[in-house]
Structure formats: structure tokens, C-alpha cells
């Protein structure tokens, strides 16, 4: 850790409620007097929006390695131009998805070698890791029910079979188990307000430790 800011990422399957929780956490930290930057991957920059369009909406196959590199390219540009500068200014960055998404989706989901995916991402970001990662854990079948209600737009990753999403979920839980101090695992079936207060409590404690 070589910057005065604090880097929080949110992870979880599609439809686990990350964006709602990111907004609630941002509001709470802002009220507590912190400067907060909310961002996401893929698509946190102008270049990233174009990459996002390819990885999520391209009709037809993209080879798994090409997909991993597209997410890494988005990440490299995003970290260098948005995330690191904010952390260096001492701000709190709340980010929807980061390296753990690549490990879970491209590693376990697409069945690429996880350590290769990690190496590519770490090279892309010059080794920037989150200070805390919130994992919103949800059974993929329940998540799919929520999503079908919420969205009609075609999304390549969401359209994957249930087995893919089961692998993603297990991979996330395994990552959380290996790094229990970085991960905050929350049951995403709890009411929105209960999830929000648990995240707020844990993050506030970590920020106080850092101060
Ligand atoms: P997004 O619309 O942000 O979905 P959600 O609301 O579910 O977060 O879509 C991002 C999709 O991209 C999601 O299906 C996960 C996938 N993804 C990867 O496969 N690898 C990655 O490294 C990242 C950042 C996302």
C-alpha cells in the first residue's frame, strides 16, 4: 500500500445487487466526510465503454483468451487513468468488479488457468490490489430470476448456462476463503438495508484501522 486512499471492490454473480450496494456505501461514506469515486469494470473510461461493448454485446464467439485480454485491457487503462490517481489523491474508490471477476469468470467460468489470468491482470494493473472486497454471495438460480425480471437486453455472459454460473460462484467463495482478511462475504438474499449496514460496519472498521 503506497497511496493514502482506500480501494474497495464489489464482486458477485450477475444480479447479486452490487450496483445498489455500491451506491448505498458511497452515500454513507460521503455522509461520513470522505471523498468517494464510484466506478466499474468493464467500462469505467471512454476506451472501456468501447471494450465493454465488444465483450458484453458482440454477437458470436470470442475466444476465451481474447476475452480475458479484453477485460485486462479495460482494467489497465482504467487503473492508470482513474483508480490510481484517485487513490493517490486520498479518495475512497468504490468499484463494481475487478481482478476477482476475471479469476472467477475467465478462470473458473471459461476454464482458463487461474494463475495465468491472475498474472495477466496483475501485469495490467502493475500489481494494484483492493484493500477490501465485498462478495455478494447468491445462488445463480435466484440471481437469474431477478435478472429476467429486470432486463431484456442480450448479454453474452449472462446468457451462459447455469453450470458456468455455478462455477463462478464456487470460485468466488474459494477466493474469499483463501483471503479472509481482504474479503467481506455477505449473503445477498438478506434485505437490501441489512446488507448495506453490514458492509458499512465492516468498511468503516477497516477505514478506522487505516486512519
Ligand atoms: P455488468 O453489466 O457490469 O454486470 P453486473 O451487473 O452483473 O456486474 O457486466 C459485467 C459482466 O462482465 C459480468 O457478466 C461479468 C463479466 N466480467 C468478466 O467476465 N470478467 C471481468 O474481468 C469483469 C470485470 C467482468
Amino acid at each position: 500500500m503506497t497511496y493514502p486512499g482506500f480501494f474497495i471492490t464489489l464482486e458477485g454473480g450477475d444480479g447479486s445487487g452490487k450496483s445498489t450496494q455500491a451506491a448505498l456505501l458511497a452515500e454513507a461514506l460521503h455522509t461520513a466526510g470522505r471523498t468517494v469515486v464510484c466506478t466499474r469494470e468493464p467500462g469505467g473510461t471512454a476506451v472501456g465503454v468501447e471494450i465493454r461493448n465488444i465483450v458484453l454485446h458482440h454477437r458470436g464467439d470470442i475466444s476465451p483468451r481474447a476475452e480475458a485480454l479484453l477485460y485486462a485491457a479495460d482494467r489497465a487503462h482504467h487503473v492508470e487513468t482513474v483508480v490510481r490517481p484517485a487513490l493517490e489523491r486520498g479518495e475512497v474508490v468504490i468499484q463494481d468488479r475487478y481482478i476477482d471477476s476475471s479469476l472467477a469468470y475467465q478462470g473458473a467460468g471459461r476454464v482458463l488457468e487461474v494463475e495465468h489470468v491472475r498474472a495477466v491482470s496483475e501485469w495490467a494493473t502493475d500489481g494494484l490490489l483492493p484493500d477490501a472486497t465485498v462478495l455478494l454471495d447468491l445462488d445463480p438460480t435466484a440471481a437469474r430470476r431477478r435478472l429476467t425480471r429486470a432486463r431484456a437486453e442480450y448479454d453474452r455472459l449472462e446468457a451462459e448456462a447455469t453450470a458456468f454460473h455455478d462455477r463462478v460462484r464456487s470460485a468466488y467463495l474459494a477466493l474469499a476463503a483463501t483471503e479472509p482478511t481482504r474479503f467481506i462475504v455477505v449473503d445477498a438474499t438478506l434485505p437490501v438495508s441489512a446488507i448495506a449496514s453490514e458492509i458499512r460496519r465492516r468498511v468503516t472498521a477497516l477505514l478506522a484501522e487505516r486512519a
Side-chain angles (χ1 to χ4, degrees):
M1 192 237 341
T2 52
Y3 48 79
F6 197 82
F7 185 24
I8 304 165
T9 58
L10 285 98
E11 297 284 354
D14 304 289
S16 57
K18 289 182 283 69
S19 41
T20 305
Q21 292 301 332
L24 292 171
L25 180 62
E27 198 182 301
L29 296 181
H30 176 74
T31 306
R34 302 291 307 226
T35 302
V36 179
V37 173
C38 276
T39 187
R40 69 166 177 181
E41 288 183 8
T45 61
V47 169
V49 168
E50 297 194 38
I51 297 174
R52 180 181 172 90
N53 210 16
I54 302 172
V55 281
L56 297 189
H57 304 304
H58 173 74
R59 296 261 173 185
D61 286 345
I62 297 179
S63 83
R65 284 172 196 243
E67 183 183 270
L69 290 168
L70 285 165
Y71 283 114
D74 166 70
R75 183 160 303 138
H77 186 66
H78 184 224
V79 163
E80 182 159 330
T81 62
V82 176
V83 181
R84 247 184 229 281
L87 295 172
E88 279 160 10
R89 290 192 301 268
E91 297 170 6
V92 177
V93 175
I94 299 179
Q95 181 167 322
D96 196 337
R97 298 195 181 280
Y98 191 53
I99 291 182
D100 299 298
S101 280
S102 287
L103 302 179
Y105 282 79
Q106 279 65 56
R110 298 284 183 225
V111 208
L112 293 174
E113 177 66 55
V114 173
E115 289 315 313
H116 293 170
V117 177
R118 189 194 296 278
V120 167
S121 249
E122 287 188 359
W123 179 77
T125 61
D126 200 13
L128 179 71
L129 294 173
D131 296 297
T133 297
V134 176
L135 172 58
L136 291 167
D137 179 49
L138 183 62
D139 166 51
T141 312
R144 199 172 280 260
R145 245 180 271 126
R146 290 190 191 180
L147 279 175
T148 331
R149 276 199 303 268
R151 273 190 224 164
E153 193 187 16
Y154 174 79
D155 180 313
R156 286 179 57 252
L157 277 290
E158 279 170 18
E160 282 295 335
T162 306
F164 173 96
H165 292 288
D166 285 338
R167 287 199 299 280
V168 168
R169 183 192 194 192
S170 309
Y172 270 134
L173 289 172
L175 288 167
T178 56
E179 283 186 78
T181 45
R182 171 163 71 91
F183 274 91
I184 298 169
V185 183
V186 187
D187 174 356
T189 63
L190 293 171
V192 170
S193 60
I195 297 172
S197 58
E198 172 66 4
I199 295 174
R200 197 166 56 238
R201 187 180 68 74
R202 303 276 299 271
V203 168
T204 305
L206 289 171
L207 283 168
E209 263 172 40
R210 179 67 69 82

